Coordinates of all heavy atoms in Angstrom, one line a residue:
M20 N 0.8 -1.2 0.0 CA 0.0 0.0 0.0 C 0.9 1.3 0.0 O 0.5 2.3 -0.5 CB -0.9 0.0 1.2 CG -2.1 -0.9 1.0 SD -2.8 -0.8 -0.6 CE -4.4 -1.4 -0.4
K21 N 2.0 1.2 0.6 CA 2.9 2.3 0.6 C 3.3 2.8 -0.8 O 3.3 4.0 -1.1 CB 4.2 2.0 1.3 CG 4.1 2.1 2.8 CD 5.2 3.0 3.4 CE 4.9 3.4 4.8 NZ 5.4 2.3 5.8
A22 N 3.5 1.8 -1.7 CA 3.8 2.1 -3.1 C 2.7 2.9 -3.8 O 2.9 3.9 -4.5 CB 4.2 0.9 -3.9
T23 N 1.5 2.5 -3.5 CA 0.3 3.2 -4.1 C 0.2 4.6 -3.6 O 0.0 5.5 -4.4 CB -1.0 2.4 -3.7 OG1 -0.8 1.1 -4.0 CG2 -2.2 3.0 -4.4
T24 N 0.5 4.8 -2.4 CA 0.5 6.2 -1.8 C 1.5 7.1 -2.5 O 1.2 8.2 -2.9 CB 0.7 6.1 -0.3 OG1 -0.2 5.2 0.3 CG2 0.6 7.5 0.3
L25 N 2.7 6.5 -2.7 CA 3.8 7.3 -3.3 C 3.4 7.6 -4.7 O 3.6 8.8 -5.2 CB 5.1 6.4 -3.3 CG 6.3 7.1 -4.0 CD1 6.7 8.4 -3.2 CD2 7.5 6.2 -4.0
F26 N 2.8 6.6 -5.4 CA 2.4 6.9 -6.8 C 1.4 8.0 -6.9 O 1.5 8.9 -7.7 CB 1.8 5.6 -7.4 CG 1.3 5.7 -8.8 CD1 2.2 5.8 -9.9 CD2 -0.1 5.8 -9.1 CE1 1.7 6.0 -11.1 CE2 -0.5 5.9 -10.4 CZ 0.4 6.0 -11.4
T27 N 0.4 8.0 -6.0 CA -0.6 9.0 -5.9 C 0.0 10.4 -5.7 O -0.3 11.3 -6.3 CB -1.6 8.7 -4.8 OG1 -2.2 7.4 -5.0 CG2 -2.8 9.7 -4.8
A28 N 1.0 10.4 -4.8 CA 1.7 11.7 -4.5 C 2.4 12.2 -5.7 O 2.4 13.4 -6.0 CB 2.7 11.5 -3.4
L29 N 3.0 11.3 -6.5 CA 3.7 11.7 -7.7 C 2.7 12.3 -8.7 O 3.0 13.3 -9.4 CB 4.5 10.5 -8.3 CG 5.8 10.2 -7.6 CD1 6.3 8.9 -8.1 CD2 6.8 11.3 -7.7
V30 N 1.6 11.6 -8.9 CA 0.6 12.0 -9.9 C 0.1 13.4 -9.5 O 0.0 14.3 -10.3 CB -0.6 11.0 -9.9 CG1 -1.7 11.6 -10.7 CG2 -0.1 9.7 -10.6
L31 N -0.2 13.6 -8.2 CA -0.6 14.9 -7.7 C 0.4 16.0 -8.0 O 0.1 17.1 -8.4 CB -1.0 14.9 -6.2 CG -2.3 14.1 -5.9 CD1 -2.4 13.9 -4.4 CD2 -3.5 14.8 -6.5
A32 N 1.7 15.7 -7.7 CA 2.8 16.6 -8.0 C 2.8 17.0 -9.4 O 3.0 18.2 -9.8 CB 4.1 16.0 -7.5
C33 N 2.7 16.1 -10.3 CA 2.8 16.3 -11.7 C 1.5 17.1 -12.2 O 1.6 18.0 -13.0 CB 2.8 15.0 -12.5 SG 4.4 14.2 -12.4
G34 N 0.4 16.9 -11.5 CA -0.8 17.5 -11.9 C -0.8 19.0 -11.6 O -1.5 19.8 -12.3
T35 N 0.0 19.4 -10.7 CA 0.1 20.9 -10.3 C 1.1 21.6 -11.2 O 1.2 22.8 -11.2 CB 0.4 21.1 -8.8 OG1 1.7 20.5 -8.6 CG2 -0.6 20.4 -7.9
A36 N 2.0 20.9 -11.9 CA 3.1 21.5 -12.6 C 2.6 22.5 -13.7 O 3.2 23.6 -13.8 CB 3.9 20.4 -13.3
P37 N 1.6 22.2 -14.5 CA 1.2 23.1 -15.5 C 0.8 24.5 -15.0 O 1.1 25.5 -15.6 CB 0.0 22.4 -16.2 CG 0.2 21.0 -15.9 CD 0.8 20.9 -14.5
A38 N 0.2 24.5 -13.8 CA -0.2 25.8 -13.2 C 1.0 26.6 -12.9 O 1.0 27.8 -13.1 CB -1.1 25.6 -12.0
L39 N 2.0 26.0 -12.4 CA 3.3 26.7 -12.0 C 4.0 27.1 -13.3 O 4.8 28.1 -13.2 CB 4.2 25.8 -11.2 CG 3.6 25.4 -9.8 CD1 4.4 24.3 -9.2 CD2 3.4 26.6 -8.9
A40 N 3.9 26.4 -14.4 CA 4.6 26.6 -15.6 C 4.0 27.7 -16.4 O 4.6 28.2 -17.4 CB 4.8 25.4 -16.4
Q41 N 2.8 28.2 -16.0 CA 2.1 29.2 -16.8 C 2.9 30.4 -17.2 O 2.7 31.0 -18.3 CB 0.8 29.6 -16.1 CG -0.4 29.0 -16.7 CD -1.7 29.4 -16.1 OE1 -1.7 30.4 -15.4 NE2 -2.8 28.8 -16.3
H42 N 3.7 30.9 -16.4 CA 4.4 32.1 -16.7 C 5.8 31.9 -17.2 O 6.6 32.9 -17.3 CB 4.4 33.1 -15.5 CG 3.1 33.7 -15.2 ND1 2.1 33.0 -14.5 CD2 2.5 34.8 -15.6 CE1 1.0 33.8 -14.5 NE2 1.2 34.9 -15.2
Q43 N 6.2 30.7 -17.5 CA 7.5 30.5 -18.1 C 7.4 30.6 -19.6 O 6.4 30.2 -20.2 CB 7.9 29.0 -17.8 CG 8.4 28.9 -16.4 CD 8.7 27.5 -16.0 OE1 8.7 26.6 -16.9 NE2 9.1 27.3 -14.8
H44 N 8.3 31.3 -20.2 CA 8.3 31.5 -21.7 C 9.4 30.8 -22.4 O 10.0 31.3 -23.3 CB 8.4 33.0 -21.9 CG 7.2 33.8 -21.5 ND1 7.2 35.1 -21.3 CD2 6.0 33.3 -21.2 CE1 6.0 35.5 -20.9 NE2 5.2 34.4 -20.8
G45 N 9.7 29.6 -21.9 CA 10.8 28.9 -22.6 C 10.4 27.6 -23.1 O 11.3 26.8 -23.5
T46 N 9.1 27.3 -23.2 CA 8.7 26.0 -23.6 C 8.2 25.9 -25.0 O 7.8 24.8 -25.5 CB 7.5 25.5 -22.7 OG1 6.6 26.5 -22.6 CG2 8.1 25.2 -21.3
A47 N 8.2 27.0 -25.8 CA 7.7 26.9 -27.2 C 8.8 26.2 -28.0 O 10.0 26.4 -27.9 CB 7.5 28.3 -27.7
S48 N 8.3 25.4 -29.0 CA 9.2 24.8 -29.9 C 9.5 25.8 -31.0 O 8.7 26.7 -31.3 CB 8.6 23.5 -30.5 OG 7.3 23.8 -31.0
A49 N 10.6 25.7 -31.7 CA 11.0 26.6 -32.7 C 10.0 26.8 -33.8 O 9.5 25.8 -34.3 CB 12.4 26.2 -33.3
G50 N 9.7 28.0 -34.1 CA 8.7 28.2 -35.2 C 7.3 28.1 -34.8 O 6.4 28.3 -35.6
A51 N 7.0 27.8 -33.5 CA 5.6 27.7 -33.1 C 5.0 29.1 -33.1 O 5.6 30.1 -32.8 CB 5.6 27.1 -31.7
T52 N 3.7 29.1 -33.5 CA 2.9 30.3 -33.4 C 1.6 30.1 -32.7 O 1.2 28.9 -32.6 CB 2.6 30.9 -34.8 OG1 1.7 29.9 -35.5 CG2 3.8 31.1 -35.7
A53 N 1.1 31.1 -32.1 CA -0.2 31.0 -31.5 C -1.1 32.2 -31.8 O -0.6 33.3 -31.9 CB 0.0 30.9 -29.9
T54 N -2.4 31.9 -32.0 CA -3.3 33.0 -32.3 C -4.3 33.1 -31.2 O -4.8 32.0 -30.8 CB -4.0 32.7 -33.7 OG1 -3.1 32.7 -34.7 CG2 -5.0 33.9 -34.0
T55 N -4.6 34.3 -30.7 CA -5.5 34.4 -29.6 C -6.1 35.8 -29.6 O -5.7 36.7 -30.4 CB -4.8 34.2 -28.3 OG1 -5.7 34.1 -27.2 CG2 -3.8 35.2 -27.9
D56 N -7.1 36.0 -28.7 CA -7.7 37.3 -28.5 C -6.9 38.1 -27.5 O -6.2 37.5 -26.6 CB -9.1 37.2 -28.1 CG -10.0 36.6 -29.1 OD1 -9.9 36.9 -30.3 OD2 -10.8 35.7 -28.7
G57 N -6.9 39.4 -27.6 CA -6.2 40.2 -26.7 C -6.8 41.6 -26.6 O -7.7 42.0 -27.3
E58 N -6.3 42.3 -25.6 CA -6.7 43.7 -25.4 C -5.4 44.6 -25.2 O -4.6 44.2 -24.3 CB -7.6 43.8 -24.2 CG -8.2 45.2 -24.0 CD -9.0 45.3 -22.7 OE1 -9.7 44.4 -22.3 OE2 -8.8 46.3 -22.0
I59 N -5.3 45.6 -25.9 CA -4.1 46.5 -25.8 C -4.2 47.3 -24.5 O -5.2 48.0 -24.3 CB -3.9 47.4 -27.0 CG1 -3.6 46.5 -28.2 CG2 -2.8 48.4 -26.8 CD1 -3.3 47.1 -29.5
R60 N -3.2 47.2 -23.7 CA -3.2 47.9 -22.4 C -2.3 49.2 -22.5 O -2.7 50.2 -22.0 CB -2.6 47.0 -21.3 CG -3.6 46.0 -20.8 CD -4.9 46.7 -20.4 NE -6.0 45.7 -20.1 CZ -6.1 45.2 -18.9 NH1 -5.3 45.4 -17.9 NH2 -7.1 44.4 -18.7
K61 N -1.2 49.1 -23.2 CA -0.4 50.2 -23.4 C 0.5 50.0 -24.7 O 1.3 49.1 -24.8 CB 0.6 50.3 -22.2 CG 1.4 51.6 -22.2 CD 0.7 52.7 -21.3 CE 1.4 54.1 -21.5 NZ 0.8 54.8 -22.6
I62 N 0.2 50.9 -25.7 CA 0.9 50.7 -26.9 C 2.0 51.8 -27.1 O 1.8 53.0 -26.6 CB -0.1 50.7 -28.1 CG1 0.6 50.2 -29.4 CG2 -0.7 52.1 -28.3 CD1 -0.3 49.7 -30.4
D63 N 3.1 51.5 -27.6 CA 4.2 52.4 -27.9 C 4.5 52.3 -29.4 O 5.4 51.6 -29.8 CB 5.4 52.1 -27.0 CG 6.5 53.1 -27.1 OD1 6.6 53.9 -28.1 OD2 7.3 53.2 -26.2
P64 N 3.8 53.1 -30.2 CA 4.1 53.1 -31.7 C 5.5 53.4 -32.1 O 6.0 52.8 -33.0 CB 3.1 54.1 -32.2 CG 2.1 54.4 -31.1 CD 2.8 54.2 -29.9
A65 N 6.2 54.3 -31.3 CA 7.5 54.7 -31.6 C 8.5 53.5 -31.5 O 9.3 53.3 -32.4 CB 8.0 55.8 -30.7
K66 N 8.3 52.7 -30.5 CA 9.1 51.5 -30.3 C 8.6 50.3 -31.0 O 9.3 49.3 -31.2 CB 9.2 51.2 -28.8 CG 10.2 52.0 -28.0 CD 10.3 51.5 -26.6 CE 11.0 52.4 -25.7 NZ 10.7 52.2 -24.3
G67 N 7.3 50.3 -31.4 CA 6.7 49.2 -32.0 C 6.4 48.1 -31.0 O 6.5 46.9 -31.3
T68 N 6.1 48.4 -29.8 CA 5.8 47.5 -28.7 C 4.4 47.7 -28.1 O 3.9 48.9 -28.2 CB 6.8 47.5 -27.6 OG1 6.9 48.8 -27.0 CG2 8.2 47.2 -28.1
A69 N 3.9 46.7 -27.5 CA 2.6 46.9 -26.8 C 2.5 46.0 -25.6 O 2.9 44.8 -25.7 CB 1.4 46.7 -27.8
L70 N 1.9 46.4 -24.6 CA 1.5 45.6 -23.4 C 0.1 45.0 -23.8 O -0.8 45.8 -24.0 CB 1.5 46.4 -22.1 CG 1.3 45.6 -20.8 CD1 2.6 44.8 -20.6 CD2 1.1 46.6 -19.7
I71 N 0.0 43.7 -23.9 CA -1.2 43.1 -24.3 C -1.7 42.1 -23.3 O -0.9 41.3 -22.8 CB -1.1 42.4 -25.7 CG1 -0.6 43.4 -26.8 CG2 -2.4 41.8 -26.1 CD1 -0.3 42.7 -28.1
K72 N -3.0 42.2 -22.9 CA -3.6 41.2 -22.1 C -4.1 40.2 -23.0 O -5.0 40.4 -23.8 CB -4.8 41.9 -21.3 CG -5.5 40.9 -20.4 CD -6.7 41.6 -19.7 CE -7.5 40.6 -18.9 NZ -8.8 41.1 -18.6
H73 N -3.5 39.0 -23.0 CA -3.9 38.0 -24.0 C -4.5 36.7 -23.4 O -4.3 36.4 -22.2 CB -2.6 37.6 -24.8 CG -1.6 36.9 -24.1 ND1 -1.7 35.5 -23.8 CD2 -0.3 37.3 -23.6 CE1 -0.6 35.2 -23.1 NE2 0.3 36.2 -23.0
G74 N -5.2 36.0 -24.3 CA -5.8 34.7 -23.9 C -4.8 33.6 -23.9 O -3.5 33.8 -24.0
D75 N -5.3 32.4 -23.9 CA -4.5 31.2 -23.9 C -3.6 31.1 -25.2 O -4.0 31.4 -26.3 CB -5.4 29.9 -24.0 CG -5.1 29.0 -22.9 OD1 -4.0 29.1 -22.2 OD2 -5.9 28.1 -22.6
M76 N -2.3 30.8 -25.0 CA -1.4 30.6 -26.1 C -0.6 29.4 -25.9 O 0.6 29.4 -25.6 CB -0.4 31.9 -26.2 CG -1.2 33.2 -26.5 SD -0.1 34.6 -26.6 CE 0.0 34.7 -28.4
K77 N -1.3 28.3 -25.9 CA -0.7 27.0 -25.5 C 0.5 26.6 -26.3 O 1.5 26.1 -25.8 CB -1.8 25.9 -25.7 CG -2.8 25.8 -24.6 CD -3.4 24.4 -24.4 CE -4.3 24.4 -23.2 NZ -5.5 25.2 -23.4
A78 N 0.5 26.9 -27.6 CA 1.7 26.6 -28.5 C 2.9 27.3 -28.0 O 4.0 26.9 -28.3 CB 1.4 26.9 -29.9
L79 N 2.8 28.4 -27.3 CA 3.9 29.1 -26.8 C 4.1 28.9 -25.3 O 4.9 29.6 -24.7 CB 3.8 30.6 -27.1 CG 3.7 31.0 -28.6 CD1 3.5 32.5 -28.7 CD2 4.9 30.6 -29.3
G80 N 3.4 27.9 -24.8 CA 3.6 27.6 -23.4 C 3.1 28.6 -22.4 O 3.6 28.7 -21.3
M81 N 2.0 29.3 -22.8 CA 1.5 30.4 -21.9 C 0.0 30.3 -21.7 O -0.7 30.0 -22.7 CB 1.7 31.8 -22.6 CG 3.1 32.2 -22.4 SD 3.2 33.9 -22.9 CE 3.2 33.8 -24.7
G82 N -0.4 30.6 -20.5 CA -1.8 30.7 -20.3 C -2.2 32.2 -20.4 O -1.3 33.0 -20.9
P83 N -3.4 32.6 -20.1 CA -3.8 34.0 -20.2 C -2.9 34.9 -19.3 O -2.7 34.5 -18.1 CB -5.2 34.0 -19.8 CG -5.7 32.6 -19.9 CD -4.5 31.8 -19.6
M84 N -2.5 36.0 -19.7 CA -1.7 37.0 -18.9 C -1.5 38.3 -19.6 O -1.9 38.4 -20.8 CB -0.3 36.4 -18.6 CG 0.6 36.3 -19.8 SD 2.3 35.7 -19.3 CE 2.0 33.9 -19.4
T85 N -1.0 39.2 -18.9 CA -0.7 40.5 -19.6 C 0.8 40.7 -19.7 O 1.6 40.5 -18.7 CB -1.2 41.7 -18.7 OG1 -2.6 41.5 -18.6 CG2 -1.0 43.0 -19.3
M86 N 1.3 40.9 -20.9 CA 2.8 41.0 -21.1 C 3.1 41.8 -22.3 O 2.2 42.2 -23.1 CB 3.3 39.6 -21.3 CG 2.7 38.9 -22.4 SD 3.3 37.2 -22.6 CE 5.0 37.6 -23.0
S87 N 4.4 42.1 -22.4 CA 4.9 43.0 -23.5 C 5.2 42.2 -24.8 O 5.8 41.1 -24.7 CB 6.1 43.7 -23.0 OG 6.5 44.6 -24.0
F88 N 4.7 42.7 -25.9 CA 5.0 42.1 -27.2 C 5.7 43.2 -28.1 O 5.5 44.4 -27.9 CB 3.7 41.7 -27.9 CG 3.0 40.5 -27.3 CD1 2.2 40.6 -26.2 CD2 3.2 39.2 -27.9 CE1 1.6 39.5 -25.6 CE2 2.6 38.1 -27.3 CZ 1.8 38.2 -26.2
K89 N 6.4 42.7 -29.1 CA 7.0 43.5 -30.1 C 6.3 43.2 -31.4 O 6.1 42.1 -31.8 CB 8.5 43.1 -30.2 CG 9.4 44.2 -30.6 CD 10.8 43.7 -30.5 CE 11.8 44.8 -30.3 NZ 13.1 44.3 -29.9
F90 N 6.0 44.3 -32.2 CA 5.4 44.1 -33.5 C 6.5 43.7 -34.5 O 7.6 44.4 -34.4 CB 4.7 45.3 -34.0 CG 3.4 45.6 -33.2 CD1 3.4 46.5 -32.2 CD2 2.3 44.8 -33.4 CE1 2.2 46.8 -31.4 CE2 1.1 45.1 -32.7 CZ 1.1 46.0 -31.7
K91 N 6.3 42.8 -35.3 CA 7.3 42.4 -36.4 C 7.7 43.6 -37.2 O 8.8 43.8 -37.5 CB 6.6 41.3 -37.2 CG 7.6 40.6 -38.2 CD 6.9 39.6 -39.0 CE 7.7 39.0 -40.1 NZ 6.9 38.2 -41.0
D92 N 6.7 44.4 -37.6 CA 6.9 45.6 -38.3 C 6.2 46.7 -37.4 O 5.0 46.7 -37.2 CB 6.3 45.5 -39.7 CG 6.5 46.8 -40.5 OD1 6.9 47.9 -39.9 OD2 6.3 46.7 -41.7
P93 N 7.0 47.7 -37.0 CA 6.4 48.8 -36.1 C 5.2 49.4 -36.8 O 4.3 50.0 -36.1 CB 7.6 49.8 -36.0 CG 8.8 49.0 -36.2 CD 8.4 47.9 -37.2
K94 N 5.1 49.4 -38.1 CA 4.0 50.0 -38.8 C 2.7 49.3 -38.4 O 1.6 49.9 -38.6 CB 4.1 49.8 -40.3 CG 5.2 50.8 -40.9 CD 5.1 50.7 -42.5 CE 6.3 51.3 -43.1 NZ 7.1 50.2 -43.8
M95 N 2.8 48.1 -37.9 CA 1.6 47.3 -37.5 C 0.9 48.0 -36.3 O -0.3 47.8 -36.1 CB 1.9 45.9 -37.1 CG 2.4 45.0 -38.3 SD 3.2 43.5 -37.7 CE 1.8 42.6 -37.1
A96 N 1.6 48.8 -35.6 CA 1.0 49.5 -34.4 C 0.2 50.7 -34.8 O -0.6 51.2 -34.1 CB 2.2 50.0 -33.5
A97 N 0.3 51.1 -36.1 CA -0.5 52.3 -36.6 C -1.9 51.9 -36.6 O -2.3 50.8 -37.0 CB 0.0 52.7 -38.0
G98 N -2.7 52.8 -36.1 CA -4.2 52.6 -36.0 C -4.7 51.8 -34.8 O -5.8 51.6 -34.6
L99 N -3.7 51.4 -34.0 CA -4.1 50.7 -32.7 C -3.9 51.7 -31.6 O -3.0 52.5 -31.6 CB -3.3 49.5 -32.5 CG -3.4 48.3 -33.6 CD1 -2.4 47.3 -33.3 CD2 -4.8 47.8 -33.5
K100 N -4.8 51.6 -30.6 CA -4.6 52.4 -29.4 C -5.0 51.6 -28.1 O -5.5 50.5 -28.2 CB -5.5 53.7 -29.5 CG -7.0 53.4 -29.7 CD -7.8 54.6 -29.8 CE -9.3 54.4 -29.7 NZ -9.8 53.3 -30.4
D101 N -4.6 52.2 -27.0 CA -4.9 51.5 -25.7 C -6.4 51.2 -25.6 O -7.3 52.0 -26.0 CB -4.5 52.5 -24.6 CG -3.0 52.7 -24.5 OD1 -2.3 52.1 -25.3 OD2 -2.6 53.5 -23.7
G102 N -6.7 50.0 -25.2 CA -8.1 49.6 -25.0 C -8.7 48.9 -26.1 O -9.7 48.3 -26.0
D103 N -8.0 48.9 -27.3 CA -8.5 48.2 -28.5 C -8.5 46.7 -28.2 O -7.6 46.1 -27.7 CB -7.6 48.4 -29.7 CG -7.9 49.8 -30.4 OD1 -8.9 50.4 -30.0 OD2 -7.2 50.2 -31.3
K104 N -9.6 46.0 -28.7 CA -9.6 44.6 -28.7 C -9.1 44.1 -30.0 O -9.4 44.6 -31.1 CB -11.1 44.1 -28.6 CG -11.8 44.7 -27.4 CD -11.8 43.6 -26.3 CE -12.8 43.9 -25.2 NZ -12.5 45.1 -24.4
I105 N -8.2 43.1 -29.9 CA -7.5 42.6 -31.1 C -7.6 41.1 -31.2 O -7.8 40.4 -30.2 CB -6.1 43.0 -31.2 CG1 -5.3 42.6 -29.9 CG2 -6.0 44.5 -31.4 CD1 -3.8 42.8 -30.0
R106 N -7.3 40.5 -32.4 CA -7.0 39.1 -32.5 C -5.7 39.1 -33.2 O -5.4 39.8 -34.2 CB -8.1 38.4 -33.4 CG -7.8 37.0 -33.5 CD -9.1 36.2 -33.6 NE -8.8 34.7 -33.6 CZ -8.8 34.0 -32.5 NH1 -9.1 34.5 -31.3 NH2 -8.5 32.7 -32.6
F107 N -4.7 38.4 -32.6 CA -3.4 38.4 -33.1 C -2.6 37.1 -33.1 O -3.0 36.2 -32.4 CB -2.6 39.5 -32.4 CG -2.3 39.1 -30.9 CD1 -1.0 38.7 -30.6 CD2 -3.2 39.2 -29.9 CE1 -0.7 38.3 -29.3 CE2 -2.9 38.8 -28.6 CZ -1.7 38.4 -28.3
T108 N -1.6 37.0 -33.9 CA -0.7 35.8 -33.9 C 0.7 36.2 -33.5 O 1.2 37.3 -33.9 CB -0.7 35.3 -35.4 OG1 -2.0 34.9 -35.8 CG2 0.2 34.0 -35.4
A109 N 1.3 35.4 -32.6 CA 2.6 35.7 -32.1 C 3.5 34.5 -32.2 O 3.0 33.4 -32.3 CB 2.5 36.2 -30.7
T110 N 4.8 34.8 -32.3 CA 5.8 33.7 -32.3 C 6.9 34.1 -31.4 O 7.0 35.3 -31.0 CB 6.3 33.5 -33.8 OG1 7.2 32.4 -33.8 CG2 7.0 34.7 -34.3
M111 N 7.7 33.2 -31.0 CA 8.8 33.5 -30.1 C 10.1 32.9 -30.6 O 10.6 31.8 -30.1 CB 8.4 32.8 -28.7 CG 9.3 33.3 -27.6 SD 8.7 32.9 -25.9 CE 8.6 31.2 -26.0
P112 N 10.8 33.6 -31.5 CA 12.0 33.1 -32.1 C 13.2 33.2 -31.1 O 14.1 32.4 -31.2 CB 12.3 34.1 -33.2 CG 11.5 35.3 -32.9 CD 10.3 34.9 -32.1
G113 N 13.1 34.1 -30.1 CA 14.1 34.2 -29.1 C 13.5 34.5 -27.7 O 12.6 33.8 -27.4
D114 N 14.0 35.5 -27.0 CA 13.4 35.8 -25.7 C 12.2 36.7 -25.9 O 11.3 36.8 -25.0 CB 14.4 36.6 -24.9 CG 15.5 35.6 -24.4 OD1 15.2 34.4 -24.3 OD2 16.6 36.1 -24.0
D115 N 12.1 37.4 -27.1 CA 11.0 38.3 -27.3 C 9.8 37.6 -27.9 O 9.9 36.7 -28.8 CB 11.4 39.5 -28.2 CG 12.4 40.4 -27.5 OD1 12.3 40.5 -26.3 OD2 13.1 41.1 -28.2
L116 N 8.6 38.1 -27.6 CA 7.4 37.7 -28.2 C 7.1 38.6 -29.4 O 7.1 39.8 -29.2 CB 6.2 37.7 -27.2 CG 5.9 36.5 -26.4 CD1 5.3 35.4 -27.2 CD2 7.1 36.0 -25.6
I117 N 7.0 38.1 -30.6 CA 6.8 38.9 -31.7 C 5.4 38.7 -32.3 O 5.0 37.6 -32.6 CB 7.9 38.6 -32.8 CG1 9.3 38.5 -32.3 CG2 7.7 39.5 -34.0 CD1 9.9 39.8 -31.9
V118 N 4.7 39.9 -32.5 CA 3.4 39.8 -33.1 C 3.6 39.8 -34.6 O 4.2 40.8 -35.2 CB 2.5 41.0 -32.7 CG1 1.2 41.0 -33.4 CG2 2.3 41.0 -31.2
T119 N 3.2 38.8 -35.3 CA 3.3 38.7 -36.7 C 2.1 39.1 -37.5 O 2.2 39.5 -38.7 CB 3.7 37.2 -37.2 OG1 2.6 36.4 -36.7 CG2 5.0 36.8 -36.6
E120 N 0.9 39.0 -36.9 CA -0.3 39.5 -37.5 C -1.2 40.0 -36.4 O -1.3 39.5 -35.3 CB -1.0 38.3 -38.1 CG -0.6 37.9 -39.5 CD -1.3 36.7 -40.0 OE1 -2.6 36.8 -40.2 OE2 -0.7 35.7 -40.2
V121 N -1.9 41.1 -36.8 CA -2.8 41.7 -35.8 C -4.0 42.3 -36.5 O -3.9 42.8 -37.6 CB -2.2 42.8 -34.9 CG1 -1.7 44.0 -35.7 CG2 -3.1 43.2 -33.8
K122 N -5.2 42.0 -36.0 CA -6.4 42.5 -36.6 C -7.3 43.1 -35.5 O -7.5 42.5 -34.4 CB -7.2 41.3 -37.2 CG -8.3 41.7 -38.1 CD -8.9 40.4 -38.7 CE -10.3 40.6 -39.0 NZ -11.1 39.4 -39.1
K123 N -7.7 44.3 -35.7 CA -8.6 45.0 -34.7 C -10.0 44.5 -34.8 O -10.5 44.3 -35.9 CB -8.6 46.5 -35.0 CG -9.1 47.4 -33.9 CD -8.9 48.8 -34.3 CE -9.8 49.7 -33.5 NZ -9.5 51.2 -33.7
M124 N -10.5 44.1 -33.6 CA -11.9 43.6 -33.6 C -12.9 44.7 -33.4 O -12.6 45.7 -32.8 CB -12.0 42.6 -32.4 CG -11.0 41.4 -32.4 SD -11.0 40.6 -34.0 CE -12.4 39.5 -33.8
P125 N -14.0 44.6 -34.1 CA -15.1 45.6 -34.0 C -15.6 45.8 -32.6 O -15.6 44.8 -31.8 CB -16.2 45.1 -34.9 CG -15.9 43.7 -35.2 CD -14.5 43.4 -34.9
Ligands
LIG208 CU1 3.1 35.5 -21.6

């Protein structure tokens, strides 16, 4: 019975791992992209960056959170402003999250 108890403990330990891993940004495989809904919290058109509250991005190893993204082309930030609802695609070639496509939602 001791072995069963240990097994159960291991299963429980593994079961909690995904929740702890939610804010790690190192689990995406090369070339992975994720498309999700988001809301622009703070956009910086000059730098081509934006703080975005985003939904699930499982392919990039992330749950919903608010974080900073870089636009692939700073021109993509044109026409977007704080508070805008968007649908966007991002990839993570290195340490930075890069927005490759963005569409403003009505
Ligand atoms: Cu994130």
